[in-house]
């Protein structure tokens, strides 16, 4: 676990770090060859369950999806998002993160926030639980529309300060979500651990996106989302062909029957 984390950290200034989300074994298995890190993100709340916010995602949901993802990963680092209200105090965070680590056999957890959760992160790291930080837009705290972060001087200073606090608290890398490109460049230069951008420009040490978005399974209109392939089309095509063959009795032919 720590070997894999050190390998990821050593990529800073050497090669870009490739990260994607997965919520199930079948997807994890296919992306693992091309990723350094796979995140079981609490974005599964909106992507799979149509929740308006990630706040409804429970610890049990994260654990069950993560167990499935674990079955599909052989080389990437596996990180699990800690859902809302599961890390409010040191003891709550420790108890829940330990449970996640034990039941899912993941390599670490991700927590959203800066200065406010400094003590909690320090406590987890001291107890050998690797933590991935998350700054910029914090989906568990956002109400209403997502806006980019770091445009005003006050916000810039605060996010930079938080990045330094997280590094000192012991996180192994930081996700920067929708952080203005000049600021993500400055943070990436300032800290010694990798920055993983999502909507935060190619100035970061790596990139993460939601796999369902890059596959075209969602109808996301978010500026930073790029649809790399159209899996929806393939699914429709497969279902349509099955429908036609069942109705015409072409399927199942003798070859597919006992
Ligand atoms: O929940 C999630 O998927 C995330 C992202 C960084 C993609 O937090």
């Amino acid at each position: 676990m720590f070997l894999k984390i050190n390998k990821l950290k050593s990529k800073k200034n050497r090669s870009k770090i490739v990260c994607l989300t997965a919520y199930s074994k079948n997807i994890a298995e296919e992306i693992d060859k091309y990723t350094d890190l796979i995140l079981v993100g609490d974005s599964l709340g909106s992507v799979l369950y149509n929740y308006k916010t990630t706040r409804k995602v429970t610890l049990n949901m994260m654990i069950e999806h993560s167990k499935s993802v674990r079955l599909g990963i052989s080389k990437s680092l596996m990180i699990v998002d800690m859902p809302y209200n599961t890390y409010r105090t040191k003891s709550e965070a420790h108890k829940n993160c330990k449970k996640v680590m034990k039941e899912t056999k993941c390599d670490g957890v991700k927590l959203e926030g800066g200065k406010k959760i400094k003590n909690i992160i320090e406590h987890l790291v001291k107890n050998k639980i690797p933590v991935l930080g998350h700054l910029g837009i914090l989906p568990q705290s956002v109400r209403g529309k997502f806006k980019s972060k770091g445009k005003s001087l006050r916000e810039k200073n605060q996010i930079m300060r938080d990045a330094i606090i997280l590094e000192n608290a012991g996180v192994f890398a930081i996700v920067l979500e929708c952080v203005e490109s000049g600021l993500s460049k400055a943070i990436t230069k300032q800290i010694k651990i990798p920055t993983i951008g999502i909507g935060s420009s190619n100035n970061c040490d790596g990139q993460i996106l939601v796999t369902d978005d890059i596959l075209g399974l969602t109808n996301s209109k978010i500026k930073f989302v790029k649809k790399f392939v159209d899996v929806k089309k393939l699914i429709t095509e497969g279902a349509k062909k099955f429908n036609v063959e069942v109705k015409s009795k072409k399927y199942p032919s003798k070859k597919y029957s006992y």
Side-chain angles (χ1 to χ4, degrees):
M1 166 170 97
F2 291 105
L3 217 70
K4 269 187 177 177
I5 283 174
N6 286 336
K7 195 174 157 202
L8 186 104
K9 283 167 86 175
S10 73
K11 286 187 184 265
K12 187 167 175 104
N13 300 324
R14 285 182 38 232
S15 68
K16 291 282 184 190
I17 299 168
V18 182
C19 317
L20 281 169
T21 61
Y23 313 131
S24 68
K25 166 186 165 278
N26 293 348
I27 294 285
E29 213 163 55
E30 295 313 313
I31 64 176
D32 186 42
K33 222 185 293 168
Y34 301 101
T35 52
D36 298 300
L37 182 153
I38 293 179
L39 172 74
V40 187
D42 62 355
S43 52
L44 64 82
S46 47
V47 176
L48 300 183
Y49 296 92
N50 262 10
Y51 296 165
K52 289 220 158 51
T53 79
T54 54
R55 286 191 178 194
K56 273 178 75 184
V57 175
T58 65
L59 195 66
N60 261 350
M61 287 166 79
M62 293 308 296
I63 289 174
E64 292 311 310
H65 280 280
S66 299
K67 281 186 193 164
S68 171
V69 168
R70 177 76 275 169
L71 299 173
I73 299 183
S74 47
K75 67 161 244 309
S76 300
L77 197 64
M78 175 180 160
I79 302 299
V80 176
D81 242 345
M82 292 304 291
Y84 182 64
N85 274 355
T86 61
Y87 52 96
R88 289 168 293 188
T89 62
K90 281 193 214 174
S91 60
E92 181 181 66
H94 190 201
K95 183 176 131 243
N96 288 330
C97 292
K98 228 170 106 182
K99 182 175 161 80
V100 166
M101 298 282 295
K102 188 168 173 235
E103 291 190 23
T104 73
K105 310 223 171 351
C106 66
D107 299 297
V109 294
K110 177 164 82 61
L111 267 57
E112 291 182 11
K115 192 177 168 197
K116 270 194 204 154
I117 57 165
K118 169 184 173 274
N119 294 341
I120 289 163
I121 292 174
E122 278 172 351
H123 184 69
L124 294 175
V125 173
K126 204 168 78 193
N127 283 284
K128 298 194 169 34
I129 297 176
V131 179
L132 172 62
H134 186 147
L135 294 174
I137 284 185
L138 307 176
Q140 290 174 8
S141 318
V142 171
R143 279 159 202 258
K145 265 200 153 183
F146 279 32
K147 282 197 200 115
S148 68
K149 291 278 181 186
K151 284 200 176 125
S152 70
L153 187 63
R154 195 184 64 81
E155 220 170 54
K156 254 191 188 81
N157 290 339
Q158 191 209 319
I159 297 173
M160 175 60 91
R161 256 198 315 269
D162 277 343
I164 295 167
I165 287 171
L166 288 192
E167 178 178 30
N168 291 334
V171 301
F172 68 86
I174 304 176
V175 169
L176 296 179
E177 181 158 357
C178 297
V179 169
E180 184 271 323
S181 94
L183 178 60
S184 49
K185 187 175 185 176
I187 294 172
T188 303
K189 200 168 162 213
Q190 172 70 37
I191 62 177
K192 291 190 179 68
I193 50 170
T195 56
I196 313 290
I198 172 160
S200 300
S201 84
N202 61 5
N203 292 319
C204 297
D205 296 302
Q207 297 294 325
I208 185 162
L209 281 176
V210 168
T211 299
D212 296 59
D213 285 340
I214 71 161
L215 299 183
L217 284 168
T218 61
N219 294 318
S220 179
K221 300 277 183 290
I222 303 174
K223 181 177 162 71
F224 60 77
V225 168
K226 180 171 175 183
K227 181 159 94 175
F228 287 80
V229 285
D230 195 345
V231 171
K232 237 184 193 176
K233 247 192 197 159
L234 289 177
I235 295 173
T236 311
E237 203 181 302
K240 191 175 165 190
K241 281 185 178 164
F242 179 64
N243 173 294
V244 169
E245 291 199 14
V246 168
K247 284 189 173 157
S248 66
K249 296 191 194 161
K250 186 174 172 198
Y251 179 86
S253 60
K254 267 198 179 139
K255 184 182 164 191
Y256 297 103
S257 305
Y258 293 106

